[in-house]
Amino acid sequence: MKILVSGFEPFGGSRVNPTEQLIFDLQSLSFSGVEIRTVLLPVVFDECARLLIEEIRSFQPDAVLACGVAGGRADITPERIAINMKHIAEDAPYPDNAGVRPHEQPIEEDGQDGLFTTLPVSRMVKTMREAGIPASISYSAGTYICNNTMYVLLNEIKKTANAMLGGFIHFPASPEMAAAKPGMPSMSQESMLRGLKVMIEVTIEELRALEHHPKRQVGSCSM
Amino acid sequence: MKILVSGFEPFGGSRVNPTEQLIFDLQSLSFSGVEIRTVLLPVVFDECARLLIEEIRSFQPDAVLACGVAGGRADITPERIAINMKHIAEDAPYPDNAGVRPHEQPIEEDGQDGLFTTLPVSRMVKTMREAGIPASISYSAGTYICNNTMYVLLNEIKKTANAMLGGFIHFPASPEMAAAKPGMPSMSQESMLRGLKVMIEVTIEELRALEHHPKRQVGSCSM
Amino acid sequence: MKILVSGFEPFGGSRVNPTEQLIFDLQSLSFSGVEIRTVLLPVVFDECARLLIEEIRSFQPDAVLACGVAGGRADITPERIAINMKHIAEDAPYPDNAGVRPHEQPIEEDGQDGLFTTLPVSRMVKTMREAGIPASISYSAGTYICNNTMYVLLNEIKKTANAMLGGFIHFPASPEMAAAKPGMPSMSQESMLRGLKVMIEVTIEELRALEHHPKRQVGSCSM
Amino acid sequence: MKILVSGFEPFGGSRVNPTEQLIFDLQSLSFSGVEIRTVLLPVVFDECARLLIEEIRSFQPDAVLACGVAGGRADITPERIAINMKHIAEDAPYPDNAGVRPHEQPIEEDGQDGLFTTLPVSRMVKTMREAGIPASISYSAGTYICNNTMYVLLNEIKKTANAMLGGFIHFPASPEMAAAKPGMPSMSQESMLRGLKVMIEVTIEELRALEHHPKRQVGSCSM
């Protein structure tokens, strides 16, 4: 069984990105019978996703958990849906790391408007909460790089009629980021890593359950 | 040099209180040349403060850091001022742990309306932020047990013309508390302990500076 | 030119719903060359949408603006996307007005995961702001009755290959609702009506522009 | 019976201040047997209060309601306490209108740390809510011009052993201000004026009650 986990480079003036640290720390954990691979993505529209898709094609994982930061959120938020739109508002503080600021453009010309995650997000949230880790389902991944990555990932699954589980998880700001923005909620690297571990374990359970009930429809919503 | 640190028992339906854990964990830290004592206070109006004052009279500390939880806040918030009022709103979910729900009563019949902390709260916040720990000064400790404890502490310092540094620090909910209230910000026990350590160190520096400049006025605001 | 505007009955323990008042007040406004019809919808899953679709089939409007309340939001929020899910969380205070509490069910068995509004939401928001009315685009209409209504409306447009403009607009709580929930943002009935008027005017402009450029693709996103 | 109501000039880049409009609109209301006078204050430390005190000395009112804006708050918030501190944080966007940015300075060298309002704020809030106007008591007026004005007003009452009712009321941003800051709560000018009217009526009732029970202690907290 193979699982791919992605994180992002720093952006928006930060020197660090907790998801970069997360995929580094993940390498010290082991999951019995499961090969974990990690990949660091650039904060650049389309390139973020292109790199992830390349990695998927070479590694052929059973599940992909793409991870990013949502400054301002207080808990770990697996995303329910990605939308077919790239957009950075005129008054947003930063363009992407290549200086691009798209205005309400489609990600895929002929793509569907929205695509549901195929990760078991409800069970992920329930299990994290039971483990004392703050978590909620989010119904909007925004219109930036994170949504871009998630949409392309889910579109690839749909296009290739792949049974792969895939989706995106947003993490809060790190304490270091929040220390520079009074009032911003944060989460410790340790809690984030515990949350990621729980989400990987729930994904493994789901994959094992699917092995024994292989009739599950491709691309349907595993809620 | 002697420093007293207080925490609170659980309340409001929680089984744990992160400040109870904090004063327990504090016992594993050491500060050169400083004796630290801790005390656990009940979440009961007036009794909370009575116990703290008893401890102060027996231990004779140079500084008192009283600690409590403010669910909903995202960072560590040293309080600037305590007010002479006990009040739990009619629609608040819980009375104190003795079932009491006071309505806009004075804490001390002839006390001043408000009393500033004598802890170096600005430097505490600045130093915590530099250490990557989210922190802000708060200008309201509320009207519950925490404010009650802080007011009685500061009133004791004022009445006895004591040069003791004293004040109250609010901490965010623990991850466990936040996991039960989706969207509530939290902070890990490790970050809280690091913050408390920084605040004690800044207090020690302030006390040492005062030893060499003893003309500091009693009860003035050490901002 | 014909425009249909819907509002909702009270729900969640409120005796009033500002969108019921809105569609009542709307009847005193006139838009040159445009027939406005209004319809009040029940807060019941599926029935809300069934009634709206019936009204659409009989009235044959060029545009539909469905309106609802999102308690907690501070500004008028035209929704970008509806998702194919009915869900009321276990810990949510209220089921729908028929007592139903669906758990992550699809609205349309074979429907797409998400459907973009065909209303000119960006221009609506820009024009409201210029008129001094607080407004933002929202990227999640939730998983309750409002999203249910919006999804069925957009799915009807898609299924019938209709060029009709349609979408959903969330309004803040009324001052009366907020007076019972301290800290909840609100908006006056007058501001909401001014906002609705602006949104109808922008929709009329869009319809007139489309008349002269009839090649616009059915169901595409008019952003 | 005489009541003085103050408002503020625009500040912080805004062209208007809803409290300037409020005191203008107030002139069209009448309260039987009561003379209302209004005064517009500058957004400049100390000068704000100096002008108010001059007006008090010449007009000799029975009550003073000083009004200001607190951008970000959702309801009308009568303040409980003013504190003896002038402070604008280093990272705050604006100094006062004279370009001054004080750092944790006392307002009155020998003043008490905090001073309670003598307005009947609890009854004001209760009566506004019953009238469908969002309102809450606030326990911090901040450390800017508003708190400066409130502190000097209450200190004048205390120093002169005056039985005058006095205090400060914060109002939310206007819809125009909020339209420029997405997500900021606001309140219509009409609701603010209705709220101010209710607060003046409650103040008049309190003054009439005090006439018949003249033993009320000077400067005590009329909660």
Side-chain angles (χ1 to χ4, degrees), chain B residues 94-168:
Chain B
Y94 296 102
D96 77 4
N97 280 356
V100 173
R101 197 181 273 273
H103 183 77
E104 300 182 348
Q105 294 164 16
I107 295 168
E108 299 277 347
E109 272 304 330
D110 300 317
Q112 291 192 10
D113 295 349
L115 293 172
F116 279 138
T117 188
T118 58
L119 291 173
V121 291
S122 288
R123 205 129 37 83
M124 283 173 163
V125 165
K126 191 166 173 289
T127 313
M128 282 192 281
R129 287 185 185 169
E130 285 165 2
I133 304 161
S136 307
I137 293 177
S138 163
Y139 290 91
S140 171
T143 58
Y144 292 4
I145 303 297
C146 294
N147 174 71
N148 187 191
T149 305
M150 182 180 179
Y151 186 87
V152 174
L153 164 62
L154 294 171
N155 200 46
E156 171 80 6
I157 295 179
K158 201 169 195 83
K159 276 193 308 188
T160 58
N162 193 329
M164 193 168 76
L165 301 184
F168 198 94

Side-chain angles (χ1 to χ4, degrees), chain D residues 32-75:
Chain D
S32 169
V34 180
E35 182 185 358
I36 304 281
R37 186 178 292 185
T38 64
V39 57
L40 188 67
L41 304 177
V43 179
V44 175
F45 277 106
D46 299 331
E47 227 179 280
C48 54
R50 205 176 304 136
L51 227 90
L52 183 65
I53 299 301
E54 274 179 29
E55 201 67 25
I56 288 172
R57 289 179 186 164
S58 87
F59 183 50
Q60 299 281 337
D62 299 286
V64 181
L65 284 74
C67 300
V69 169
R73 292 194 189 166
D75 45 11

Side-chain angles (χ1 to χ4, degrees), chain A residues 29-101:
Chain A
L29 301 182
S30 67
F31 300 84
S32 170
V34 180
E35 183 184 359
I36 303 281
R37 186 178 293 186
T38 64
V39 57
L40 188 68
L41 305 176
V43 178
V44 175
F45 277 106
D46 299 332
E47 228 179 279
C48 53
R50 204 176 304 136
L51 228 88
L52 183 66
I53 298 301
E54 273 178 31
E55 201 67 27
I56 289 171
R57 290 179 185 162
S58 88
F59 182 52
Q60 300 280 337
D62 300 286
V64 181
L65 282 75
C67 301
V69 168
R73 292 195 188 165
D75 45 12
I76 298 178
T77 46
E79 296 291 342
R80 173 68 79 194
I81 192 163
I83 69 173
N84 191 13
M85 183 179 295
K86 291 184 279 193
H87 177 61
I88 298 186
E90 286 75 8
D91 57 354
Y94 296 103
D96 77 3
N97 280 354
V100 173
R101 199 182 270 276

